[in-house]
Amino acid sequence: MDRLSSLAKFKSVCPFLGRTKTTTLRTLATSTSARLPSVSRLTETATKCPVMGPALALRSSQMAQGARTYASLANRADIDQIHQREGVFPLPAGGVCPHAKAGAEAARKAEELAKMVNRRAKASSITPACPFSDKPNAATAQHGFDYEMFYNAELEKKHRDNSYRYFNNINRLAAKFPVAHTGSAKEEVNVWCSNDYLGMSKNPVVLETMHRTLNKYGAGAGGTRNIAGNGAAHLALEDELASLHRKPSALVFSSCYVANDATLSTLGSKLPGCVIFSDNMNHASMIQGIRHSRASKVIFNHNDMHDLEEKLKRYPKDTPKIIAFESVYSMCGSIGPIAEICDLAEEYGAITFLDEVHAVGMYGPRGAGVAEHLDFEAHLRAGQSGEALKGTVMDRVDIITGTLGKAYGVVGGYIAGSTNLVDTVRSYAPGFIFTTSLPPAIAAGAQASIAYQKLYMGDRRLQQINTRDLKRRFEEMDIPVVPGPSHIVPVLVGDAALAKAASDSLLTDHGIYVQSINYPTVAVGEERLRITPTPGHTAEQLAHVLRATDEVFNRLGIRRKSEWEELGGRAGVGMENQQASPIWTDEHLGLKDGSAPKPLANGSKGVVDLKAIRQAQKQIDELLGATARNPLSTGQPSTGLFNPTAVHVAKAIGVAA
């Protein structure tokens, strides 16, 4: 406290001290640097100052030299005298002198600090400007803004709070799904966190369609949709998507991030006095779209219908309103109350904007998402007709957005809705108008993928069965899984550094790739591993990931579910009334009538449905023309990509994460 009080007299001359609260300074002074654990964060911050930096460098050098000098000049009598005076005699077990240890620690601390300051001094050949001041100093005025120093400071923030993102070199192998190799083609790992939920990126009908389209139309689209980039493949894909969601129209974008951003920003800016109500766990693309619209924004608590209604009540019914939310929230696995939100929208004069990114292909009898799944039997009876089913949840939703890059295994995004709505976005959204359209091969491959999944439920059924099994086994092992009714398996770690260490250990020690999820994607203290089983994971691979996770939890001391319960719980783990029943019932999965697909084991092969293959090929033939069929479509054996096989557990590897 005395040291902090003494800093107060410098507030008028130091920009950093002048604008920083005393409580913040106290926190910085009492917490250690992430990069240099031997110094405080306040000291580390001071090394960036053009005045304090050199002074600290000089003082650190003196301290380091002093510590070394004392260690070299003190004789045995001096040391014994200190031990007698301090009551440390004889020496502790192991013969470690606490004073010598403290001296060595002081020397190390001083040397580290000196090196840090010297590195920063050498990084710039000019007199540095104060990085904490908004006012230009003489150096800045003479030499200009120090961009590199600014970049470095921003990256330092990421390193300090452990939110810096590391990208692993993972190359998924089509013929060995879900196996990938790392930076070395000889080092293979099992992937347990891919968003290619159903393995459609290697499905033979998708690959065959893309090859044929590539050969006929070339690699690129040739321009924006307005200039040479509007082809038959794009129009056919939009027709397929409109039919999937039983909506009049659909519009394709380069990604669903762009689709969400462009649609919300366009509607929010065009609708007079629009107010957008947004779930507080919405994806960044929706948040960005709302921000770009400059419309009034109201945040409601996650899936809290009481909170949403209370906020809707504040506005007249004739005020244009958009309620933006998701069906499956990808980091926690929760599912939005779509029907209830539609009820409120109708009562208070709002339209609904539903992001089905993590649900399309995964839910519903035709893979149209959670909105379709909520009326499973009705949509199943309706078959492949694209006509709306009046009164169903999917029909009540005004705008549905989705991706082609997850369950459908390709890339791109889209919206589906009324003809006038879609045409308005098409006509006004810069994110659509001024972007080069998807390559024809991508569009055709996506259409084939959608057509296949509309006819075949086996992949998403098996994915859900594998998810159930993994969640059940984790529960038996006291592994803390954030509860949810979806296909996402979030394993709570609760610490950014531990989550990264667990991910690294699974990769390097066990040959398993699972990405850690940290702030700002999830809240601080709710860091996790996000696991996504696929229909291609075998029983052997499941046993492998269970053993590996258990070993890593034990070695790193990560809290188990029972330990979270003792602490009162976090993120739904160890908390009362947080369990959620799967949205896929036993009847939906075919567990009641014996039609459920069997998990892969002992070298069994994955299933490719020939009926769905032929139908998807027939639809694309209208564009590409009929051609000689691959052996797969006639039921004849083949090799490689056209003969999916189960894979065995990859061997553990030693690679840098």
Side-chain angles (χ1 to χ4, degrees):
M1 289 296 296
D2 292 340
R3 291 183 179 180
L4 288 178
S5 299
S6 67
L7 292 176
K9 60 185 178 182
F10 299 109
K11 281 182 173 286
S12 60
V13 295
C14 175
F16 176 75
L17 294 176
R19 71 163 186 253
T20 305
K21 296 179 180 179
T22 302
T23 54
T24 303
L25 290 173
R26 184 178 297 111
T27 299
L28 292 172
T30 55
S31 58
T32 58
S33 161
R35 297 183 64 193
L36 297 175
S38 59
V39 302
S40 71
R41 290 170 61 192
L42 183 61
T43 302
E44 182 184 16
T45 302
T47 63
K48 303 174 186 177
C49 173
V51 176
M52 289 298 298
L56 284 170
L58 177 61
R59 180 56 180 156
S60 298
S61 298
Q62 293 172 342
M63 289 172 61
Q65 183 62 37
R68 286 193 296 269
T69 301
Y70 172 79
S72 63
L73 294 179
N75 56 35
R76 181 68 189 180
D78 294 330
I79 295 173
D80 289 344
Q81 186 177 4
I82 294 174
H83 289 163
Q84 290 283 6
R85 183 173 68 248
E86 300 296 332
V88 184
F89 201 84
L91 289 179
V96 179
C97 170
H99 305 289
K101 181 180 179 181
E105 177 65 19
R108 185 178 68 84
K109 176 178 178 180
E111 288 178 348
E112 284 185 352
L113 189 59
K115 288 178 181 178
M116 176 193 289
V117 177
N118 288 334
R119 281 198 303 269
R120 286 178 173 156
K122 292 177 181 178
S124 176
S125 59
I126 63 171
T127 303
C130 175
F132 308 108
S133 177
D134 296 328
K135 301 177 182 179
N137 66 4
T140 301
Q142 180 180 357
H143 299 283
F145 185 80
D146 191 334
Y147 296 97
E148 291 300 321
M149 178 180 286
F150 172 80
Y151 303 147
N152 184 67
E154 291 300 301
L155 291 172
E156 280 294 313
K157 295 176 186 176
K158 288 286 185 183
H159 285 293
R160 283 200 300 270
D161 64 13
N162 291 312
S163 67
Y164 185 80
R165 296 176 186 268
Y166 296 89
F167 296 161
N168 288 309
N169 187 342
I170 300 294
N171 307 273
R172 299 183 311 120
L173 299 167
K176 291 186 175 182
F177 179 88
V179 169
H181 71 71
T182 64
S184 168
K186 296 180 180 179
E187 296 175 334
E188 294 187 349
V189 298
N190 288 321
V191 178
W192 278 91
C193 60
S194 171
N195 285 340
D196 184 9
Y197 295 133
L198 303 178
M200 287 302 292
S201 66
K202 54 82 180 174
N203 184 284
V205 74
V206 174
L207 296 180
E208 180 194 51
T209 299
M210 293 182 70
H211 281 300
R212 292 170 61 196
T213 309
L214 185 65
N215 290 336
K216 184 170 183 177
Y217 293 108
T224 65
R225 293 288 291 272
N226 187 51
I227 304 175
N230 185 55
H234 305 94
L235 300 175
L237 173 58
E238 288 170 347
D239 286 344
E240 191 76 62
L241 290 164
S243 174
L244 173 70
H245 293 289
R246 305 189 196 274
K247 297 291 185 185
S249 296
L251 191 66
V252 172
F253 293 78
S254 55
S255 73
C256 199
Y257 187 105
V258 176
N260 285 349
D261 183 2
T263 303
L264 284 170
S265 62
T266 299
L267 294 179
S269 62
K270 286 294 180 183
L271 291 170
C274 181
V275 181
I276 302 179
F277 296 80
S278 177
D279 188 290
N280 71 353
M281 290 187 68
N282 274 345
H283 188 263
S285 59
M286 301 166 75
I287 296 170
Q288 192 77 339
I290 295 169
R291 182 180 295 121
H292 286 161
S293 75
R294 300 187 179 180
S296 298
K297 175 182 64 177
V298 178
I299 308 297
F300 62 92
N301 295 332
H302 178 54
N303 284 352
D304 188 335
M305 294 301 93
H306 176 74
D307 186 48
L308 174 58
E309 183 170 17
E310 288 301 309
K311 289 170 178 175
L312 284 167
K313 287 179 179 178
R314 301 173 188 171
Y315 296 87
K317 190 169 184 176
D318 61 355
T319 296
K321 310 173 195 69
I322 302 172
I323 304 176
F325 62 108
E326 301 180 38
S327 58
V328 176
Y329 290 84
S330 64
M331 292 301 145
C332 63
S334 62
I335 288 180
I338 305 173
E340 292 81 354
I341 290 177
C342 288
D343 292 340
L344 292 176
E346 291 165 4
E347 182 176 354
Y348 293 98
I351 60 174
T352 48
F353 179 101
L354 173 61
D355 178 315
E356 290 256 37
V357 161
H358 290 273
V360 289
M362 301 295 292
Y363 297 88
R366 296 155 61 250
V370 174
E372 181 188 53
H373 200 102
L374 295 174
D375 297 291
F376 193 97
E377 287 74 20
H379 285 286
L380 184 62
R381 288 192 301 269
Q384 298 307 316
S385 168
E387 296 298 318
L389 298 185
K390 296 299 181 182
T392 60
V393 174
M394 189 163 69
D395 179 60
R396 297 173 67 196
V397 176
D398 296 290
I399 310 165
I400 295 176
T401 74
T403 184
L404 307 171
K406 293 182 171 58
Y408 292 129
V410 195
V411 69
Y414 65 89
I415 64 170
S418 72
T419 299
N420 284 338
L421 163 75
V422 169
D423 202 17
T424 297
V425 175
R426 183 191 69 86
S427 301
Y428 285 99
F432 172 81
I433 297 170
F434 300 106
T435 299
T436 298
S437 59
L438 291 176
I442 295 294
Q447 183 193 353
S449 182
I450 296 165
Y452 178 88
Q453 285 298 328
K454 283 169 68 176
L455 289 164
Y456 180 59
M457 280 195 287
D459 290 335
R460 49 187 170 275
R461 276 178 158 181
L462 184 51
Q463 195 282 333
Q464 291 286 336
I465 290 170
N466 286 346
T467 297
R468 280 192 182 192
D469 194 20
L470 181 61
K471 287 182 176 181
R472 177 183 61 81
R473 300 282 290 278
F474 272 154
E475 175 72 19
E476 294 171 353
M477 296 167 59
D478 204 23
I479 298 294
V481 174
V482 177
S486 73
H487 62 285
I488 310 293
V489 186
V491 175
L492 181 65
V493 176
D495 179 87
L498 268 181
K500 177 66 168 59
S503 174
D504 290 347
S505 179
L506 285 169
L507 183 67
T508 59
D509 299 326
H510 298 281
I512 291 173
Y513 175 49
V514 176
Q515 184 61 43
S516 60
I517 308 296
N518 297 334
Y519 178 83
T521 307
V522 295
V524 173
E526 296 184 4
E527 296 82 2
R528 62 198 62 181
L529 302 174
R530 180 181 180 272
I531 300 176
T532 53
T534 73
H537 281 102
T538 66
E540 293 82 6
Q541 289 169 323
L542 175 64
H544 182 210
V545 77
L546 289 167
R547 290 193 304 270
T549 304
D550 188 54
E551 190 278 329
V552 169
F553 264 65
N554 286 334
R555 178 160 43 83
L556 297 182
I558 301 174
R559 289 192 183 105
R560 302 279 178 153
K561 180 183 177 182
S562 55
E563 295 175 279
W564 285 109
E565 288 176 352
E566 294 173 0
L567 295 172
R570 186 68 187 259
V573 173
M575 302 171 69
E576 294 183 359
N577 303 319
Q578 293 294 318
Q579 295 303 315
S581 299
I583 189 172
W584 278 87
T585 65
D586 290 351
E587 290 80 7
H588 295 157
L589 293 175
L591 295 172
K592 293 288 189 180
D593 61 12
S595 64
K598 304 297 183 184
L600 303 180
N602 301 318
S604 59
K605 298 179 181 180
V607 174
V608 176
D609 188 76
L610 297 183
K611 180 181 177 182
I613 286 277
R614 293 190 187 103
Q615 184 60 35
Q617 288 174 326
K618 181 179 178 181
Q619 289 184 222
I620 209 70
D621 282 348
E622 297 177 9
L623 174 64
L624 301 177
T627 185
R629 289 297 178 217
N630 186 279
L632 179 69
S633 64
T634 61
Q636 298 301 313
S638 183
T639 58
L641 299 179
F642 297 97
N643 189 17
T645 57
V647 293
H648 296 289
V649 175
K651 295 180 180 179
I653 59 169
V655 296

